Amino acid sequence: MNTNTLPLLLIALWSMAAPAQQSSFTVGTANAALGQKATGFLEVPAGTDAATSIPVVVVRGNKPGPVLALVSGAHGTEYASVIALEKVIPELDPAQISGTVIILPLVNIQSFLQKTPHVNPVDGKSMNRFYPGKADGTQTERASFLITKEVVERSDYLIDYHGGDLDENLRPYSYWPKTGNEKQDTITQQMVLAFGLNHIIVVTDRPKDPNASRYLDNTASTRGKPAIAVEAGYSGTVQPQDVSALVNGTLNVMRYLKMLPGAAPMVKHPVWIGKVDTITSEQTGIFYPLVKRGSYVEQGMKVGYVTDYFGKTIFEAQAPAAGVVLYICGVPSMKKSDTVANIGEVVKNP
Ligand SMILES: [Zn+2]
């Protein structure tokens, strides 16, 4: 190679790697021109069951940068996470942003409207368990298919927002998916530290097959896109501190990704959770909690009990290991095999 041509070649390569922000960006019916914010819908067509329209916002920054997807309300009654993205929408000024943000603030509209926890009432399926979805499946599968194509595959990074559902008394935490891909894992670790929730679950057991990814964040991860999930809010409440933790966390991840100016303060002393123990009820009846979300318990400690309808104790729930109460059932209704609590076992080095 003639060394004289090297600088020109480098300039040519650089301009290919970092093109100017191109004109408009369209997701569903939301078409945002450069420097604009647009709203629209992902139209999920009717199939074996009804059609649905999922609201989408595209914020097209003036400056070039990555595409970040923010998705909330797969569980439509995890309200704090939905309200947090509603608050993020007006916070994002396209003039300040480098890159593009795709926001789906409420994926599971029928869950939200009908106040149905955990599932999409149209087909009874969780909207965070059927990724990457199917074009000819039920509504949840068709919606998941469209989100995979229109949102995940067109993003560089993704954050999935959850929280305690109507029956879950939950303390805030995030998930760090450790995939084994060192480069990706370094980025996602920085993303959870930038997000700012100081309890972080290390997840190592997610499916590796992109065609069987199940979860939204894992659908992005298995396609080589760094993705995290975060949880705040509990029991149907919209507490200002939960909403602001999710809003500020979002803006700080954008700072870490250089999509917003400024530096993100990183969590200095994270509590890494290496294992989550789920305690399930061995009986059907009335549940009484004995510990609060976020409290620390010793192995064998009683975290709650179940009585029959006459007040006689028929089951005592004990912590299988020492750890932090990530969430505990927040209502008296208890069926056999339902979750009583999730206990997070703390590890020193994740
Ligand atoms: Zn959820």
Side-chain angles (χ1 to χ4, degrees), residues 284-297:
T284 290
I286 300 173
F287 176 67
Y288 296 87
L290 291 171
V291 294
K292 290 190 165 68
R293 67 199 169 91
S295 59
Y296 278 74
V297 295

Side-chain angles (χ1 to χ4, degrees), residues 128-175:
N128 194 29
R129 292 294 184 281
F130 289 87
Y131 283 97
K134 281 198 287 195
D136 60 351
T138 61
Q139 190 187 82
T140 292
E141 293 165 314
R142 298 196 306 280
S144 302
F145 180 79
L146 204 58
I147 292 169
T148 300
K149 294 284 164 218
E150 290 264 335
V151 179
V152 176
E153 289 182 359
R154 300 179 61 212
S155 303
D156 301 305
Y157 303 95
L158 181 142
I159 307 175
D160 188 20
Y161 298 74
H162 290 264
D165 215 319
L166 292 178
D167 56 346
E168 293 169 345
N169 194 5
L170 176 145
R171 69 141 294 139
Y173 53 86
S174 58
Y175 296 89

